[in-house]
Amino acid sequence: MQHSPKGLAKCVMCGASEDQPGTFPMVVGVGRVCLSDGMQKVRCEACGTEVKLLTSSKLQGRTLCLSDYMKEIEKFRQHVVRSFDEDSEPALSILQRAYKDAPEGYTLLAVRRGRNSTHVWEAEYEKTELFEMRCS
Ligand SMILES: [Zn+2]
Ligand SMILES: [Zn+2]
C-alpha cells in the first residue's frame, strides 16, 4: 500500500491519485475509483445488464448491479441488531431512540442488555414484512 498525501485516495483500477479529498467515489467491494474508470461498463453477473462501474457493487467476488446487490443484501439482513451504550446516554433515552430510530423497513422486536455487559444495550429489529407475516 503506497502512501498518498493525506486524505487523498488512489484509484484502485489505474492508480491515479485524486486532486482533492473525496473526489473519487467509493464502489462497494471494489474501492475508490477515478471518474473515468467509474464510467466504464461492467456486466452484472446476476442479470447480465451492463452498468457503469460506479453504480455496481462487488459482493463475494461477484459484480452486481444495484438492484441485484440490494436483493443479495436483503437476504442477509432479515435481522438487524444495533447497540447503544448506557455510559454515553441514559437507559430511558436509549429505549426511546431504539424505537424511534428503527432502520427503515424494520420493526423493533426487543431491547435487551448486551451479553456480558452492564452498560451496553442491544436493540433487535426484524424486517417489517416478515414481522407482519408472522403477526397476521
Ligand atoms: Zn482510475
Ligand atoms: Zn443485475
Side-chain angles (χ1 to χ4, degrees), residues 43-49 51 63-69 71:
R43 194 174 287 278
C44 169
E45 289 177 43
C47 68
T49 310
V51 291
T63 300
L64 298 173
C65 68
L66 190 61
S67 68
D68 283 308
Y69 177 74
K71 275 187 234 159

Side-chain angles (χ1 to χ4, degrees), residues 38-54:
M39 292 302 162
Q40 299 294 318
K41 292 285 177 68
V42 291
R43 194 174 287 278
C44 169
E45 289 177 43
C47 68
T49 310
E50 278 203 333
V51 291
K52 293 192 192 81
L53 177 62
L54 264 187

